Amino acid sequence: MIVLLSSADAPALVDNEVLDEYTIPFGEWIDQAVDWIAVNLTGLLAIIEWPFKTLLDLVVNDFLLQVSWVLVVTMMFLIAWLVRNLKVAFGVAAALTLCGLLGDAYWIETARTIGYIAVAVGLCVVIGLPIGILCGRLDGAWTVTRPTLDAMQVVHAFVYMLPFIFFWGIGPVAATMATMVFALPPLIRLTNLGIRQVPEEVVEASRAYGAPEYRVLLDVQIPLARPAIMTGVNQTLLMSISMLGIAAIMGAGGLGRLLFRALSNQEVALAASGGLAFFLVAVSLDRMSQPEHDTDKSLFSRMGRAWRHRRDPEVLLEGEDTFDAAELEREILAGEAIPTSSRERRNALIAAAGAAAAIVGLFVPWSINAGKISGWSRRADEDLAGQSFNGLAASGGSWFGYMVGIGAVVVLAAAVVAFARNGYGPRWLAPDGAVIASTMMLITSLAFLLANPSSALVDFEIGAGVFVAIAGSAVALVGSVLWMSRSPYAPKRPLPRRIRYGKLAGGIAAVLMAIVTLFASWSFDERQDVVFSDELLEEIADIEAAVDAGELEGAVGATQIASLAASATRDDVVILDGKTPDGAQLGIWTLVFTLIGSVFLIPAAGLLGFGDRRQWVGSTLVVGAGFGVLGLAVGWIGTLVRATDPNFVSGFGSFLAMLVGCVLVATSWKLVDGFERLRSYDDDQDLYELATAQGILQQPIPDPSDNVGVVATGRTV
């Protein structure tokens, strides 16, 4: 349900004009972030630029463009001979020689193209190979990295061209960075896949013989993953070649620039010669790096396959004979879930009671005499004497209340499933889902209570509904944790007996990002009464009075007013960060709740032992804290979007807080999702022997004569 303040001239919800009343200022967030980075992080930008500029100068300007073309062709011949064979080497030499015979201008751009691709692919290997290996060995690292790779490949290059140009200017440096953003993901994906596809028996055998982990990696996993890694390098090369046109638009030079100029000027001869040189260079580099089994495929078909499978490059690995453990697992998990016990139902009832109380609190006043959050963005909400607003009203809890309500509904639904479905139901309508939802409820309602109200509010009072929601959320959390502690859940597969450093790294990243929210802007106030000083408003009023009295022509008066308005600069804009006493100080509470969530990463990562339930409970609380921080940010942004004056927007700090919540969730979501309710099975000895052989189950089915009839994935109970 959406509650709107009534207004005579407000557009109806079904009208398109209403969209202008509830605009999410995403562009403003990014603009603020870019301006802040350009002003405050010049040293960091220079550090990032240094390897790109140094390598481009060294490889392109100081070597390839300075030596004879014969030396370059000879060098490429030798490299092709070493990495492939003599036949490929002669083909590469002939193709590059033909590029040189097109003319000196074409050769210079050919050399630049080779240099740019060499630098881009080389840096992709230096960066992507370690990340891919880390993702292959740590599930937490892959969980965090995978959505980032998806974004790098789905978002069009035109979207991220501008920030690179803004920070590092037009030229080869920015173009190389943009190329890497698009070309890096296949290498990381395939390296991760190659490491994971190394047979576990081989890895365990090497460890059994006493090999340390670095020897296992260097002598077993990387050599066996070499075909996948080399396919990743080749895919990265193909993606880099496909980006040469975008690089030319960004001022990188090379053969792409010749084609861009030919297209702009409609020069057929230049387009034909430049296109031939481009094709020859692309074929040469592709033949030098492609896997042996792809030698019969043309460049265009291979580039087409690379584009079609840029998000699932594993299909490019031909001849892989993989065991379909997922199908076997589905057969095994066809047993009946253990019925809900009376103790579980009792704790679920406690959680449901707390959630119900929180819902009741949504209909009790949260703000009295003014809007606590909306008062920051709407002048009309600064003085609402004699009025009160509940947790769903725009001037009350608004989106903070909505987030509490969503969490309460989830808890109630989980309790209903526990009673009515006797253990069956959707995966997240379960005790861990109730813990996550109630944690989000508690953090979000606390954030509303702890946020500073605007100093402009008149006689503001906090309503009792907030305290009811907090108390109900706390009861729901206690009941959910007790429910979870008594629930018979176990992992689908045995958890690795090692410390999960990927989780800890994700927690550290979330804390660092939360610290940045202290200094980033949470509100950006450009309202007229803020930007225009009292003196400026008086001058405008005098001009308007003169026009009304006939002492000044209307056109002249309008020009003078426009000139005065233009004199009001952005220096007068009120920008409040996440820690200033004059602001809501939600950056402080973002950091506090992030730190609390990161504390639970200690048991979740195995630092307190490798007990499955300890890691499960810790990970669940981490995910709940992440959703809580996300609820805090959504509450602030949504409330300001819903009730705001023109030229007031939320800041980049609130957007960054959403990312903090997402990072916390990503660190532990996969582990929590890997737990299932224990099930009872029929006596199918053959199926369980097969499952045990494939490592899905660690023990065979117990004898029916025993008093043990429940088998969990990875253990017998």
Side-chain angles (χ1 to χ4, degrees), residues 130-255:
I131 295 177
I133 292 172
L134 183 66
C135 291
R137 291 176 62 90
L138 298 176
D139 290 339
W142 177 236
T143 301
V144 174
T145 304
R146 184 176 182 178
T148 304
L149 300 181
D150 292 340
M152 291 168 67
Q153 293 183 297
V154 171
V155 177
H156 196 277
F158 285 166
V159 176
Y160 50 78
M161 277 173 53
L162 186 58
F164 286 120
I165 293 175
F166 186 88
F167 290 136
W168 292 285
I170 294 177
V173 172
T176 303
M177 293 179 180
T179 299
M180 286 184 61
V181 170
F182 186 71
L184 184 60
L187 178 58
I188 298 177
R189 290 182 185 273
L190 287 169
T191 301
N192 164 72
L193 181 66
I195 295 295
R196 291 178 180 273
Q197 284 185 339
V198 174
E200 188 66 25
E201 296 83 357
V202 178
V203 175
E204 292 302 327
S206 62
R207 289 171 177 160
Y209 279 101
E213 283 301 313
Y214 78 92
R215 294 295 301 274
V216 173
L217 176 63
L218 297 178
D219 296 344
V220 177
Q221 290 179 309
I222 290 180
L224 293 179
R226 182 178 177 275
I229 294 174
M230 293 309 299
T231 301
V233 173
N234 179 252
Q235 294 301 298
T236 294
L237 175 68
L238 292 175
M239 293 298 184
S240 299
I241 292 172
S242 67
M243 282 288 289
L244 286 175
I246 301 297
I249 296 176
M250 298 178 69
L255 294 170

Side-chain angles (χ1 to χ4, degrees), residues 537-598:
L537 291 174
E538 290 179 4
E539 292 185 47
I540 293 175
D542 292 340
I543 295 174
E544 292 175 344
V547 172
D548 293 338
E551 300 173 0
L552 193 65
E553 293 184 4
V556 175
T559 302
Q560 292 181 359
I561 291 175
S563 176
L564 290 173
S567 67
T569 65
R570 289 176 66 92
D571 294 337
D572 300 313
V573 174
V574 176
I575 303 174
L576 300 177
D577 59 31
K579 65 179 186 344
T580 178
D582 296 331
Q585 294 189 323
L586 285 176
I588 295 176
W589 298 113
T590 297
L591 177 59
V592 170
F593 294 131
T594 302
L595 288 172
I596 294 173
S598 299

